[in-house]
Amino acid sequence: MSARWRKAHDSTGAGCRPDDLGSVTAMSERSGDDACADPSAPKVPLTLTGVPETLLWNLYHRSIAAADPDNPFEDPKAIELVARIDYPFEEFVTEHTDYLARWHALRVQTLDAEIRRFLTANPGGTVVALGEGLETQFWRVDDGQVRWLSVDVPEAIDARAKLLPEGPRQVSVDCSAMHERWMDEADTDHGLLITAQGLLMYLPLTEVEALVSRCARRFPGESFVFDSVPARMVHSRERLGGTGKGAGYQPPPWVWGMQASVRRRLSVLPGVSELREVPQVKGHGLVFGMLLPTLRRVPWLAELMPTFPVLRTQFASRT
Ligand SMILES: C[S@@+](CC[C@H](N)C(=O)[O-])C[C@H]1O[C@@H](n2cnc3c(N)ncnc32)[C@H](O)[C@@H]1O
């Protein structure tokens, strides 16, 4: 266990944020639930731009899915957060919002399921969430033992600190996923799972390759789970000039998309022993529950589906 993790564990004062932790924030013993539950708290203004602003887009769609009584996806904290943030969320609304929200929920549930599998096999293991934004995944998958490392750029970590106070098993690092600083905080004592949800499609593919290679070198025997966008969706969005139908907000463009050639490139990176697709959880309703899962099992059709493939990279153990 690194010294900073021990510090996060050992700190007892409520609201404690020891100065000597530098930019690693070891937060109080208070559970995030206390802070989020106060309906009289003033709204928190957030002014984010570029890729960091997309964290609000994701949060909003998760909250819509969570508020849908027909959707089994549960995320009360996402609903609370949207209510607490001062931001023009109405600019995200389009005729496709409900549909998009279901996609978001499916993608997130697929990653949640993979994290739960990891935690079952590795009690007390560490999850590193790269580009975590205002994800509330910790609260969805917490088994009472997991240790959680959030990594994001400073403005996003600042938003997290304001809105999602951390408990004793959570630590944040405000640096780029490309920076090795977070790697020094990642504890492998009880197993490590690195995740990147909604991040890699915004980084150049060469940077993604560099990141995966660096992780493979630093964390032999561990795994990295990430989602991606099918190349076809990237190309059609380029053709349409963004999402096209948004009332006011245009997310930044995705930089690359998943296809067979990219999968081959990632699977032969040094230190990568396996790259496989994580089975998507079954959604609800005829389209999400039956039709799409069936069609996705047909290899050549899978690439044509407007879904977000989730992949798991296994790193080779050091011999
Ligand atoms: C689409 S949001 C996803 C947020 C969250 N994972 C989710 O699914 O709700 C993209 C996130 O990546 C973060 N990000 C962008 N560039 C980054 C980088 N180089 N390193 C780490 N995080 C980055 C943004 O700040 C933002 O939080």
Side-chain angles (χ1 to χ4, degrees):
M1 184 184 287
S2 86
R4 283 179 172 168
W5 271 108
R6 250 195 311 279
K7 199 143 199 165
H9 276 257
D10 295 345
S11 74
T12 48
C16 153
R17 188 173 170 164
D19 289 335
D20 62 335
L21 290 183
S23 52
V24 174
T25 56
M27 305 301 277
S28 74
E29 294 285 340
R30 185 172 64 140
S31 121
D33 294 335
D34 301 341
C36 271
D38 179 3
S40 64
K43 283 201 174 203
V44 177
L46 287 186
T47 42
L48 298 166
T49 55
V51 178
E53 190 173 10
T54 61
L55 67 88
L56 293 165
W57 164 270
N58 281 20
L59 170 68
Y60 178 71
H61 286 95
R62 278 199 308 280
S63 78
I64 294 292
D68 176 355
D70 294 332
N71 196 325
F73 177 63
E74 290 193 13
D75 197 342
K77 252 186 159 34
I79 300 174
E80 268 174 34
L81 278 183
V82 169
R84 286 196 58 210
I85 296 171
D86 183 4
Y87 179 85
F89 285 106
E90 65 280 2
E91 292 188 5
F92 290 160
V93 179
T94 73
E95 59 190 310
H96 303 300
T97 296
D98 289 341
Y99 191 68
L100 259 180
R102 287 200 223 174
W103 280 124
H104 272 267
L106 264 188
R107 172 183 71 137
V108 161
Q109 284 173 292
T110 301
L111 277 133
D112 285 0
E114 195 62 13
I115 295 173
R116 289 194 186 99
R117 278 191 281 275
F118 163 77
L119 294 178
T120 302
N122 300 273
T126 297
V127 173
V128 178
L130 300 178
E132 182 158 46
L134 287 176
E135 239 300 9
T136 44
Q137 195 164 42
F138 170 83
W139 291 271
R140 291 197 304 272
V141 303
D142 184 20
D143 64 351
Q145 298 182 76
V146 61
R147 281 176 299 141
W148 201 271
L149 182 64
S150 299
V151 180
D152 209 312
V153 294
E155 58 268 44
I157 290 296
D158 188 49
R160 252 190 109 74
K162 285 181 187 144
L163 289 151
L164 291 171
E166 296 156 331
R169 288 177 283 114
Q170 293 166 279
V171 170
S172 302
V173 184
D174 61 351
C175 71
S176 167
M178 302 303 299
H179 205 288
E180 297 233 359
R181 185 152 57 88
W182 68 261
M183 298 184 187
D184 299 333
E185 305 303 326
D187 188 349
T188 55
D189 284 359
H190 302 282
L192 181 79
L193 180 67
I194 303 162
T195 70
Q197 178 188 296
L199 168 66
L200 301 190
M201 57 288 276
Y202 293 109
L203 304 176
L205 188 55
T206 47
E207 282 192 21
V208 173
E209 290 177 311
L211 173 64
V212 173
S213 303
R214 214 169 288 162
C215 289
R217 200 171 53 243
R218 286 287 299 258
F219 306 113
E222 312 294 352
S223 308
F224 188 164
V225 183
F226 60 94
D227 63 349
S228 57
V229 179
R232 279 184 170 263
M233 272 172 86
V234 177
H235 299 145
S236 61
R237 196 160 130 181
E238 273 165 10
R239 267 202 319 278
L240 293 169
T243 51
K245 304 169 190 87
Y249 175 73
Q250 291 294 336
W254 296 312
V255 183
W256 60 277
M258 186 53 74
Q259 54 191 319
S261 58
V262 173
R263 213 178 273 228
R264 273 194 299 278
R265 274 172 71 165
L266 294 176
S267 64
V268 297
L269 289 173
V272 168
S273 64
E274 186 192 25
L275 179 74
R276 66 170 171 81
E277 186 160 345
V278 174
Q280 189 173 294
V281 300
K282 234 175 154 183
H284 73 291
L286 185 66
V287 173
F288 290 88
M290 301 251 315
L291 199 58
L292 288 174
T294 310
L295 295 178
R296 278 193 64 76
R297 280 200 285 274
V298 183
W300 63 271
L301 260 183
E303 283 212 359
L304 304 180
M305 297 277 122
T307 51
F308 300 92
V310 174
L311 288 109
R312 182 182 176 117
T313 309
Q314 179 68 41
F315 301 141
S317 301
R318 203 164 272 150
T319 45

